[in-house]
Amino acid sequence: METQFVGPELVRRALPPRREDGHKGTFGKVLIVGGAVGYTGAPYLTASAAVRTGCGLVSLGVPEAIWPMEAAKCASAMPFPLPEKGGMLSAKALPQILEKLSSCDVLALGPGLGRSEGTARLVWELLKTEKPVVLDADGINALSGHIDVLDARRDKVTVLTPHAVEFSRIGGDLSHGDRQQAARDFAMRHGCVLVLKGHGTVTAAPTGEVLVNTTGGSGLAKGGSGDVLTGVIASLLAQGADAVQAAVAGVWLHGRAGDLLEAELTAYGVMPEAVAEHLPLAIREILE
């Protein structure tokens, strides 16, 4: 199957329309589950990106220990505290998360989650949901040795956003040097949409379709950039884009926001929180 390159026109078609008579409930509800002591920025960045790309309501489930910090930072999203163990979410948080998820459209799972037996078990249980899931960071790492959990979601919407190391942990094979083929093989084998991050980020669909991004530079190569991307993709999914549309448009907009910022501050000065702030400017370019 021929590879496509993602440009403005494709993103314009993928961007969910905005109803003039819409309200906050019209434009989707995202639940973000993540965060840990020492990783307080990740869920905040994901939430900021989701809000700035049009999501109507954004909630964050975080460990109780970091909830005050998230609550102080989040003016446009709604953090709530969850049971924890050792500064990370525990499996005991599951009932509260499921209750909140029942009224949301999309689950963004993994930003800043941390790695422990409790967080892994939480990921495995949450992946049983029928709701669309964007899985990132330690949400992906929880699949290492448990890829059957992903395979069980074959008939559900699942978007994975690994970098190369995370991809290898869950069985992705980059040994031959062909990122596009590796992403295609994984997406088809496991029935998911795979966003393989890096220079020329590759999005692969279960159908074998492969799309290569054309925006973004080395300014995005900083911790926290992936958390912003997760928020964009989850937001677009919640607003009605399908999984491939949300992934390719999210990657392009994220990269374009980085390009705009890099033009102002050079690649050295790009920061993930500023990338989130520049997302509306990238969207405005598409709409003009």
Side-chain angles (χ1 to χ4, degrees):
M1 186 172 290
E2 186 177 351
T3 298
Q4 299 181 60
F5 289 88
V6 181
E9 185 55 40
L10 193 156
V11 176
R12 187 176 295 113
R13 294 196 304 268
L15 201 62
R18 301 285 291 186
R19 282 176 43 187
E20 289 295 330
D21 62 346
H23 52 81
K24 61 188 177 184
T26 306
F27 299 115
K29 301 176 184 179
V30 167
L31 172 61
I32 300 160
V33 173
V37 171
Y39 298 97
T40 58
Y44 168 72
L45 289 169
T46 302
S48 298
V51 171
R52 288 180 180 274
T53 46
C55 186
L57 291 167
V58 179
S59 299
L60 297 80
V62 298
E64 187 173 7
I66 70 168
W67 172 77
M69 185 177 298
E70 302 295 337
K73 291 193 295 186
C74 291
S76 300
M78 299 169 288
F80 61 97
L82 289 168
E84 62 175 89
K85 182 178 181 181
M88 291 181 277
L89 290 175
S90 77
K92 293 180 179 179
L94 182 64
Q96 288 171 250
I97 296 172
L98 291 177
E99 181 180 0
K100 176 65 74 173
L101 183 58
S102 67
S103 62
C104 293
D105 302 302
V106 174
L107 172 63
L109 178 58
L113 187 65
R115 300 177 71 177
S116 71
E117 181 179 347
T119 57
R121 291 187 181 281
L122 191 61
V123 169
W124 303 337
E125 289 300 317
L126 287 172
L127 286 177
K128 294 177 182 179
T129 181
E130 298 292 321
K131 301 289 179 78
V133 175
V134 182
L135 194 66
D136 183 37
D138 287 322
I140 295 170
N141 288 328
L143 295 178
S144 178
H146 298 273
I147 201 67
D148 56 302
V149 177
L150 177 61
D151 291 335
R153 288 189 57 83
R154 182 171 292 274
D155 60 342
K156 305 176 181 68
V157 174
T158 315
V159 180
L160 272 68
T161 62
H163 54 57
V165 174
E166 291 164 345
F167 186 53
S168 67
R169 286 174 183 152
I170 57 174
D173 181 13
L174 292 170
S175 62
H176 45 66
D178 189 338
R179 297 174 72 246
Q180 295 179 31
Q181 188 60 51
R184 177 187 284 119
D185 290 347
F186 188 95
M188 294 180 70
R189 184 163 64 249
H190 299 293
C192 64
V193 173
L194 183 83
V195 177
L196 182 56
K197 296 183 293 194
H199 179 67
T201 291
V202 177
T203 298
T207 58
E209 183 181 17
V210 172
L211 303 102
V212 178
N213 192 49
T214 56
T215 59
S218 65
L220 294 175
K222 294 174 182 173
S225 288
D227 303 311
V228 174
L229 176 60
T230 295
V232 181
I233 295 173
S235 174
L236 297 178
L237 265 177
Q239 291 174 71
D242 68 35
V244 175
Q245 288 176 327
V248 297
V251 170
W252 192 95
L253 290 169
H254 177 253
R256 183 58 186 150
D259 291 341
L260 294 171
L261 190 57
E262 193 168 318
E264 295 177 28
L265 302 176
T266 78
Y268 296 92
V270 173
M271 297 181 68
E273 55 266 46
V275 174
E277 292 169 0
H278 278 64
L279 286 166
L281 301 180
I283 293 173
R284 185 172 68 184
E285 283 192 346
I286 291 296
L287 297 178
E288 288 178 343

